[in-house]
Amino acid sequence: MTEEGPVTVESLEGGAYWRVFLDRPKGNILDREMFKALTAVFRRAASDTDLKALCLEGRGAHFSFGASVPEHMPEHAETMLHAFHGVVRTMLENSHVVLAAVRGQCLGGALELVSLCHRVFASSDARMGQPEIVLGVFPPVASVLLPERIGRGNAEDLCLSGRIVQADEAQRIGLIDVLAEDPSQAAFDYAKEHLLPHSASSLRYAVRAARHGLRERLTTELVELERIYLRELMATGDAVEGLQAFMEKRAPQWKNR
């Protein structure tokens, strides 16, 4: 077991399989420190020639409540967004198979990370959603990634409504690949049967090939969505009001501008 700040890594099968834990229960909030730690883990993985698959998990009852709301405020938003998108880009460049084992809540930025994984295993108590619009903002990564994973109609439903779906609906629309009583064990069993028998080198090339178009598209489109988010959205009063209202635990008072 090794630690990278708030992220813990457990190496199994002679180093061929890593369990990567978001290790700040109960919420496992994604803040700049968590992003920095995740980036470090994926960079370390990139140099490990024996590693074949990683599994992202949340310590405790929940995968993650999502990104830190205070770090979304205008004075922190650019640093936070660049740190988060740095994790996304590092994951895309990594070329290892990444699985996800989800229990409980998996919201906002957490769902964006999970949606980037190759296969998602979840328990029946999983709850997934992109609630950013409720706070007056939008999810840049999900805006590009979710249509690829679950189709444009389902993606726009989640991003525009902010609603949270239960596990059965999440599986039906494609957010979850496998429902299991123990998603961590199910992910490991899948990797042991279907991934670990293969060459680590050949798996990396297969991942690169399978994700080539997605990597190019997501990298390019994120630049423009970051600009819209930081230079346009965050200049509106409603974006700040929505975030402030959430932190003050009150209903937002929209001015529609």
Side-chain angles (χ1 to χ4, degrees), residues 121-155:
F121 300 81
S123 58
S124 60
D125 69 342
R127 301 292 181 267
M128 295 178 159
Q130 299 290 166
E132 287 87 347
I133 191 64
V134 178
L135 279 65
V137 295
F138 71 87
V141 174
S143 298
V144 182
L145 186 60
L146 281 187
E148 177 109 9
R149 186 171 186 93
I150 62 175
R152 181 160 301 281
N154 289 322

Side-chain angles (χ1 to χ4, degrees), residues 198-212:
H198 303 322
S199 156
S201 174
S202 297
L203 271 176
R204 288 194 296 274
Y205 282 107
V207 169
R208 283 177 59 187
R211 290 288 175 99
H212 177 74

Side-chain angles (χ1 to χ4, degrees), residues 22-42:
L22 309 179
D23 207 348
R24 273 190 175 164
K26 77 175 184 183
N28 295 317
I29 297 297
L30 301 173
D31 57 12
R32 282 173 289 179
E33 187 179 1
M34 186 77 82
F35 295 144
K36 180 180 178 181
L38 283 169
T39 299
V41 167
F42 280 104

Side-chain angles (χ1 to χ4, degrees), residues 26-94:
K26 77 175 184 183
N28 295 317
I29 297 297
L30 301 173
D31 57 12
R32 282 173 289 179
E33 187 179 1
M34 186 77 82
F35 295 144
K36 180 180 178 181
L38 283 169
T39 299
V41 167
F42 280 104
R43 284 178 176 164
R44 179 155 58 93
S47 64
D48 192 319
T49 56
D50 294 322
L51 178 63
K52 299 182 180 181
L54 306 87
C55 183
L56 280 180
E57 307 184 34
R59 186 77 73 185
H62 299 283
F63 184 86
S64 170
F65 292 171
S68 165
V69 174
E71 290 187 5
H72 277 74
M73 295 301 288
E75 63 269 29
H76 304 299
E78 186 164 3
T79 302
M80 179 278 297
L81 208 61
H82 288 170
F84 178 39
H85 293 173
V87 177
V88 170
R89 292 183 176 100
T90 305
M91 287 178 69
L92 282 170
E93 294 163 2
N94 187 266

